[in-house]
Amino acid sequence: MSRSRLPPILRPRLTPRYVVSCVAAVYVVYCWLWGMPLFSSNLPAYSGPHSVGVIDIESPCDGRKTSDVKFKSTGEPAFLLETVLFSLYYPAMKGAKSDKPKHLWVPKPLSVTAEGYAKFAHISNFLTNSIFTVALWGLTGSTTIPANVDVPLRENVPTLKFTEHVEDKPEAGEENFPVIVFSHGMASSRTDYTHFCGELASRGYVVAAIEHRDGSGPGTMIMNVDGTEKPLYHFGLGDLQVDASFDTPELKQAQLDFRQAEIEETVRVLRAVNDGSGATIFEMNPRKEGEHLSSWEGKFDMTNVTIAGHSYGATGALQALKGAPCPERPFHGGLILDPGKSSGPLNHDVDVPILIVHSNSWSKKHSVFFGQPHFTVVKDLVKGVNKRGKAAWFMTSLGTSHPSVTDAPLIEPTLLSWTTGSTIDVYDGVGVYVNVTEEFMLYQKAHKRMGLLALDVTHSEYDSHDNGTQEMPQAYQRFWQIHVAPDSA
Ligand SMILES: *[C@@H]1O[C@H](CO)[C@@H](O)[C@H](O)[C@H]1NC(C)=O
Ligand SMILES: *[C@@H]1O[C@H](CO)[C@@H](O)[C@H](O)[C@H]1NC(C)=O
Ligand SMILES: *[C@@H]1O[C@H](CO)[C@@H](O)[C@H](O)[C@H]1NC(C)=O
């Protein structure tokens, strides 16, 4: 039989894509035959004093549109907010058991995420989509998130740390849970930072991890109140009806504007729950979670919310701080992790306390950012906030790499340290972020500088040779370099 009569997918073409697909396929079959797990270290339990609950909330948004750009294929608007989706992590009632199964780390249907990743890699076709689906299933298919689904919220009064250190203790029962709204990076989803979010919930914080539908993620399922659902895949300029003047920076700005609208809608939903409309939010939630929301009136501190983000999400969080605090964005603090190097300019107009943390690889790799070193831009931004009289910090977490705060290193430690050069123990990697976040939350609450945040600058520039600084208390030596702190502004 002549070669040309074979169906196209069986005709070997030695393109890099074909080779990668074959290698992936062989690896999957190999592991399957030998009964080896491909990935799948399970996610660890949370270490804080509270057990952790999680619910997925999807809520309709009155068709808010942030840009007129349309999809080529359907003519539908690309930046129309039909619903907003987030996972809410919270301190749960002690001993509460859930009758619902744990959430999967890669939400169902898996093929949406898999096809999204294939589109990302520009190799989407029937064969590669199937390979990606099988591979993703093999890699992570059975990994679940260890939070209890839809259990009651803890009664009240969170963190021990607060009561120890706050001088004017609030009246018993007056306190409510501090809220963090978290925005993910490029090629991510709401389930990529579950350990970071769950760990904070176990220490008394409520964390809303948004799933952005701006086309920057692999794939996401939009579910409407009437039960209809439709997938949205990763999209780029080529998928949009735009003229030549609409370039990549314009697309990024459109995506950031859409992300900001989703952040505001998340705040709106949380506020509705806090104002006593939890029952309605539950009824309108196509994901059918939140059966206890009706009793969560007044449980959140919606006056002082913290906005947090990683990478693209960090750029978005900075953008969301422009003009904050304001009613749509009641943010009194910003936690900015690895602010984007290619997601557009960083907003400097910030008038609330912020903490910017760079992973080691983010500081180490010199990048030119709008004509200046990225590191310098970030440093100037933080100094500017201090000049305005708001406390701001900039530091590097040693030994970490860009994905250290995500779940990826916990699920696949070896692969990640290989490909990203992180040297820190994977649990410490997330742990340093959680610890410093808690100290930052305490600062916002009590205006007290604790722990790492009480220290002064150790390295005004990042020093790649200094992997452990004697000037610091021992608990921090191996982990941190501080580039800007409030006193030194
Ligand atoms: C985080 O804080 C806890 C409690 O203070 C401490 O035991 C732990 O070692 C810290 N983790 C890291 C990685 O610094
Ligand atoms: C909210 O933030 C403001 C400004 O940072 C602060 O003065 C106030 O004490 C905070 N309120 C609560 C309840 O934490
Ligand atoms: C720094 O690295 C050197 C060699 O790589 C090692 O011997 C030393 O223990 C490290 N210091 C700290 C504080 O980790």
Side-chain angles (χ1 to χ4, degrees), residues 465 467-470 477-478:
H465 301 294
N467 59 342
T469 307
Q470 301 300 321
Q477 278 181 16
R478 261 186 325 125

Side-chain angles (χ1 to χ4, degrees), residues 165-185:
H165 301 299
V166 176
E167 273 131 30
D168 320 312
K169 285 185 198 169
E171 295 297 308
E174 204 183 66
E175 224 174 326
N176 38 25
F177 294 102
V179 175
I180 300 171
V181 174
F182 187 88
S183 169
H184 64 71

Side-chain angles (χ1 to χ4, degrees), residues 239-406:
D239 301 302
L240 302 173
Q241 281 179 21
V242 285
D243 56 36
S245 69
F246 193 94
D247 53 7
T248 300
E250 293 243 15
L251 172 61
K252 297 216 156 131
Q253 191 53 53
Q255 289 180 317
L256 287 169
D257 292 345
F258 191 77
R259 282 166 164 253
Q260 177 166 333
E262 290 176 303
I263 288 170
E264 291 174 3
E265 291 295 324
T266 301
V267 166
R268 178 187 58 76
V269 174
L270 294 173
R271 195 177 269 143
V273 171
N274 200 49
D275 289 348
S277 302
T280 313
I281 301 295
F282 173 53
E283 278 158 31
M284 308 275 272
N285 182 6
R287 296 181 186 253
K288 309 225 177 310
E289 292 178 2
E291 58 180 281
H292 307 286
L293 286 177
S294 58
S295 60
W296 293 13
E297 183 170 357
K299 293 289 188 185
F300 304 154
D301 180 359
M302 290 308 293
T303 53
N304 283 8
V305 178
T306 301
I307 180 76
H310 179 238
S311 200
Y312 207 176
T315 304
L318 280 171
Q319 170 169 326
L321 284 173
K322 191 169 193 157
C326 58
E328 307 80 50
R329 282 165 281 122
F331 304 133
H332 283 260
L335 175 70
I336 312 295
L337 310 176
D338 281 0
K341 290 184 172 180
S342 57
S343 25
L346 301 176
N347 169 43
H348 286 233
D349 184 3
V350 173
D351 202 18
V352 298
I354 57 169
L355 167 63
I356 300 193
V357 179
H358 270 188
S359 63
N360 198 61
S361 50
W362 214 242
S363 282
K364 188 171 188 173
K365 186 167 186 309
H366 180 85
S367 317
V368 178
F369 187 72
F370 298 96
Q372 273 185 289
H374 179 269
F375 187 92
T376 309
V377 172
V378 173
K379 193 169 144 184
D380 289 348
L381 192 166
V382 175
K383 286 191 158 178
V385 177
N386 276 311
K387 285 214 180 78
R388 291 174 86 159
K390 298 289 161 20
W393 290 264
F394 175 30
M395 43 187 78
T396 298
S397 132
L398 298 178
T400 53
S401 62
H402 192 52
S404 285
V405 67
T406 72

Side-chain angles (χ1 to χ4, degrees), residues 11-216:
R11 246 180 274 149
R13 296 157 300 167
L14 279 178
T15 63
R17 284 170 195 179
Y18 188 83
V19 173
V20 168
S21 308
C22 287
V23 170
V26 168
Y27 182 62
V28 169
V29 172
Y30 173 86
C31 292
W32 179 66
L33 286 177
W34 291 92
M36 277 169 34
L38 292 170
F39 255 67
S40 290
S41 291
N42 270 326
L43 287 165
Y46 309 115
S47 69
H50 312 305
S51 63
V52 174
V54 66
I55 47 180
D56 279 342
I57 299 182
E58 184 147 11
S59 188
C61 292
D62 292 337
R64 181 171 174 187
K65 202 164 72 174
T66 60
S67 153
D68 288 327
V69 168
K70 296 189 171 78
F71 285 118
K72 260 185 200 160
S73 56
T74 60
E76 301 282 328
F79 295 100
L80 177 75
L81 236 150
E82 289 174 63
T83 68
V84 66
L85 170 64
F86 56 92
S87 294
L88 193 67
Y89 294 84
Y90 55 92
M93 188 189 273
K94 203 173 175 180
K97 291 268 177 300
S98 176
D99 51 8
K100 296 181 176 153
K102 297 255 190 310
H103 285 168
L104 286 166
W105 190 66
V106 181
K108 279 187 172 155
L110 207 81
S111 57
V112 171
T113 307
E115 190 170 335
Y117 277 121
K119 283 210 162 75
F120 237 108
H122 300 292
I123 49 173
S124 179
N125 61 44
F126 174 76
L127 175 67
T128 56
N129 292 351
S130 310
I131 291 175
F132 270 62
T133 303
V134 173
L136 196 63
W137 173 80
L139 297 173
T140 65
S142 62
T143 302
T144 55
I145 299 164
N148 299 303
V149 176
D150 214 359
V151 289
L153 183 68
R154 199 187 130 83
E155 272 302 305
N156 62 2
V157 190
T159 48
L160 303 166
K161 275 200 175 169
F162 281 177
T163 33
E164 270 170 42
H165 301 299
V166 176
E167 273 131 30
D168 320 312
K169 285 185 198 169
E171 295 297 308
E174 204 183 66
E175 224 174 326
N176 38 25
F177 294 102
V179 175
I180 300 171
V181 174
F182 187 88
S183 169
H184 64 71
M186 179 73 88
S188 298
S189 75
R190 71 187 190 286
T191 62
D192 280 314
Y193 303 79
T194 68
H195 193 66
F196 177 72
C197 298
E199 222 8 80
L200 286 166
S202 79
R203 299 170 189 210
Y205 301 92
V206 169
V207 187
I210 304 178
E211 179 145 314
H212 291 297
R213 272 73 172 269
D214 62 338
S216 72

